[in-house]
Amino acid sequence: MSRGLQDVRVGIIGLGYVGLPLAVAFSEHFPTIGFDINGARIAQLQDADDQTLEVSTQELRDASQLTFTNQLAQLKEANVYIVTVPTPITSSNQPDLSPLVKASEAIAKVLSEGDVVIFESTVYPGATEEICIPTLEAHSTLRFNQDFYAGYSPERINPGDKDHRVVDILKVTSGSTPEIGEFVDSLYKKVIVAGTHKASSIKVAEAAKVIENTQRDLNIALVNELAIIFNKLGIDTEEVLEAAGTKWNFLPFRPGLVGGHCIGVDPYYLTHKAQSIGYHPQVILAGRRINDNMGKYVVTCLVKAMIRQKLQVVDANILILGMTFKENCPDLRNTRVVDVCKALKEYDVNVDIYDPRADSAQAKHEYGLDLIEQPVPATYDAVILAVAHKEFVALGRAQVRDYLKPDGLLYDLKYIFDKGDVDLRL
């Protein structure tokens, strides 16, 4: 059976950082329905307001083929469903597939014969065919690869990056049959300017995604461990990395807090699957342990420096600049700045957090943390530069130091300022 693109009607399930830009991109070529269970989010998008700041008001207004809904029945108009819901981890670092299962159950209710369901959410190899497909079959009257088909094309988006948007990043594609593989690949080729790479199977595509961020996680863990070693040796880590970086094949990773919806999460999906088949990963989990403990390490270094400076630790006033998981975006998902806050409060210090990009209500809801509207000059015993927002870079060293008491300490986690302008660096 020949399958073309002429009658494609796309339904995007999940309109967050991944789904919304994808929906806008697809709507330039196909009628597209954006679906999300969050009614407030739908109302904002219908008013051309994207709180994630990934899509501009003008882009939403120009998307004439794009409609938004939280009514499942309206999704039935689609014949290609693309699932972009989050795949987080539990408090015990186990995969939480409940959003993916719920999305699959919902799609099953509107699925028709001949439809294709493409998953973009990051999972372990095998999850699409072991979890999602059986869910679609169980909640519909249709049979896989006879009545409906599946594909997997792992999300590739970099929140806050306006130079590398979804259409500018090469896309891996796959399908449940050779014909569907061709169809999925041609579908994304229509949208992704950078092109596509067709994998031989869904499992290969799943594995490719999960190791992208596992590799980055391990590289950052390595430089985090190097930073700990060099700190004990009294050597500046940035100077060492700059010297080593003069060789053409040295990778330019820097130490820091590892959060977000990908790097700090995806490796646990792979290790979970590995353990389920009897293999216990050592290198991957060692990297995770190092990165998960960096918040506590940062605070330990600060407290030692305060003691050397003869600053009182208990009841000290500490300012943290930045709460999002990365610079220049409002994304608070899995931010490891909360680890710094938690470790600081164990020393009975007073912590203020200032982040002009983050949403105060979300910070309170997700983490129980209050954000201040503006730091007060000459108030703090220490300032921790945790996120390299453009706003903090623009402040400059002198204005950031104005927040400090005369003998206060400036701790730069992001190498925003020169070594001589700060008191501590990773």
Side-chain angles (χ1 to χ4, degrees), residues 31-88:
T32 303
I33 304 166
F35 173 85
D36 199 289
I37 60 174
N38 186 337
R41 172 72 167 158
I42 294 299
Q44 290 168 353
L45 294 176
Q46 288 173 338
D47 288 337
D49 177 20
D50 173 27
Q51 296 290 306
T52 70
L53 305 181
E54 290 299 308
V55 177
S56 70
T57 295
Q58 193 59 51
E59 286 173 314
L60 287 172
R61 288 174 176 165
D62 290 343
S64 59
Q65 291 197 96
L66 176 58
T67 59
F68 299 109
T69 185
N70 63 344
Q71 301 300 311
L72 183 62
Q74 294 184 30
L75 262 184
K76 196 170 180 62
E77 297 176 17
N79 52 24
V80 175
Y81 299 92
I82 301 178
V83 181
T84 61
V85 297
T87 44

Side-chain angles (χ1 to χ4, degrees), residues 170-225:
L170 194 143
K171 203 82 157 63
V172 174
T173 66
S174 64
S176 56
T177 70
E179 181 196 356
I180 296 302
E182 289 290 343
F183 170 75
V184 172
D185 194 62
S186 64
L187 180 70
Y188 279 96
K189 274 182 178 174
K190 190 79 174 175
V191 173
I192 305 299
V193 176
T196 62
H197 173 93
K198 188 177 66 169
S200 63
S201 68
I202 287 175
K203 284 184 180 179
V204 168
E206 291 169 325
K209 171 57 182 178
V210 81
I211 71 165
E212 288 177 19
N213 289 315
T214 299
Q215 183 186 66
R216 292 177 66 198
D217 191 45
L218 285 171
N219 277 307
I220 298 171
L222 172 61
V223 293
N224 274 338
E225 188 164 57

Side-chain angles (χ1 to χ4, degrees), residues 87-155:
T87 44
I89 53 175
T90 67
S91 58
S92 57
N93 295 329
Q94 294 299 305
D96 178 7
L97 294 174
S98 57
L100 200 55
V101 170
K102 290 177 181 177
S104 299
E105 290 173 351
I107 292 169
K109 296 175 182 178
V110 295
L111 201 61
S112 298
E113 189 169 341
D115 289 355
V116 179
V117 185
I118 303 169
F119 294 89
E120 289 213 359
S121 307
T122 303
V123 291
Y124 52 76
T128 299
E129 291 157 299
E130 295 165 10
I131 304 295
C132 301
I133 300 304
T135 302
L136 289 169
E137 286 190 313
H139 292 267
S140 72
T141 59
L142 305 178
R143 295 165 296 174
F144 176 51
N145 275 345
Q146 294 183 50
D147 303 318
F148 75 93
Y149 305 88
Y152 184 82
S153 180
E155 59 93 355

Side-chain angles (χ1 to χ4, degrees), residues 40 85 102 163 194 229 248 270 288 359 399 404:
V85 297
K102 290 177 181 177
D163 295 322
I229 295 170
W248 80 92
L270 184 56
R288 281 280 74 236
D359 181 80
Q399 194 163 343
L404 290 166

